[in-house]
Amino acid sequence: MANEWLKRAPRSPYAMLAAAHGDLAAAAMMRASNVPTDQPETATDLLAIAVPLLKSALAAEPRLSPACVDLMFAGRLQHDDAQVASATAQCRKVDPSSWNVNREWLASLEPGEGQSLDAMNQAVAKIRALSSENAGLGRLLARAGGIVAYRASLENEESDGAMARARSDLESASLIAPDPVFLGRAGIA
């Protein structure tokens, strides 16, 4: 349906976003499943279609934050740090207190993305400053705090003081945003 809308309104940034979002979702599912499908498109093919559409949508409507968030996510799927950084900067300029923008930003800084604790801590500080504008950001801060504490607990298993701090941080994060990994790690710590 989104592709039909795009055919009928090729200059509409909203139609571009809708079509790109569908391709992006399909690409993410393909990447997550790692199961060959009988579909002729690959995740890379779908991303090659989605990314230019998202960029065009943002060129036409720079404040279209869902397109910006999708572009951040597409960058993560492609392991394109420059695209993630560029889209993150644009998203945070357009809507700095958006839950979706900040959720995707923090997701790009999670351990599986190869980022440092310093980058996560800097993001947390910036988001904390915005949490008075959007109380929902507190849940993101809890998850980020849990991730930081979890990584610290993995890196400092020999240090009793570090483990005590990590346990306290993990417990605090788990009370705000329950996460089975953090709860389990707090029990181990």
Side-chain angles (χ1 to χ4, degrees):
M1 184 156 68
N3 287 329
E4 185 61 32
W5 181 16
L6 185 59
K7 285 179 190 173
R8 292 178 187 219
R11 292 188 181 148
S12 166
Y14 305 99
M16 290 179 216
L17 169 61
H21 187 78
D23 289 338
L24 181 60
M29 287 179 23
M30 286 178 181
R31 290 267 166 97
S33 68
N34 289 326
V35 176
T37 66
D38 58 354
Q39 296 177 350
E41 298 96 0
T42 66
T44 302
D45 295 335
L46 292 171
L47 288 166
I49 295 167
V51 168
L53 282 173
L54 292 167
K55 288 180 177 179
S56 293
L58 284 170
E61 182 57 62
R63 296 193 49 84
L64 190 57
S65 65
C68 199
V69 170
D70 277 0
L71 196 55
M72 291 167 71
F73 181 56
R76 280 197 307 125
L77 285 177
Q78 296 173 306
H79 304 287
D80 184 341
D81 293 341
Q83 180 175 306
V84 171
S86 173
T88 299
Q90 182 174 358
C91 285
R92 296 203 72 251
K93 183 178 176 184
V94 167
D95 197 358
S97 61
S98 163
W99 190 89
N100 290 319
V101 167
N102 287 293
R103 177 196 45 81
E104 186 57 38
W105 183 28
L106 287 176
S108 74
L109 299 174
E110 287 191 9
E113 303 299 325
Q115 300 295 330
S116 70
L117 285 175
D118 287 341
M120 178 71 79
N121 286 329
Q122 289 172 13
V124 165
K126 289 178 181 178
I127 294 169
R128 183 174 286 118
L130 297 169
S131 62
S132 63
E133 296 174 34
N134 181 349
L137 294 177
R139 183 172 167 89
L140 291 177
L141 293 173
R143 173 137 177 92
I147 289 168
V148 169
Y150 176 71
R151 288 180 65 187
S153 75
L154 293 177
E155 293 171 5
N156 297 303
E157 288 188 346
E158 302 302 319
S159 167
D160 288 338
M163 288 304 288
R165 281 190 307 279
R167 180 175 39 255
S168 174
D169 291 346
L170 286 164
E171 289 170 354
S172 297
S174 295
L175 291 172
I176 297 169
D179 185 300
V181 173
F182 301 156
L183 289 169
R185 194 64 192 172
I188 292 168

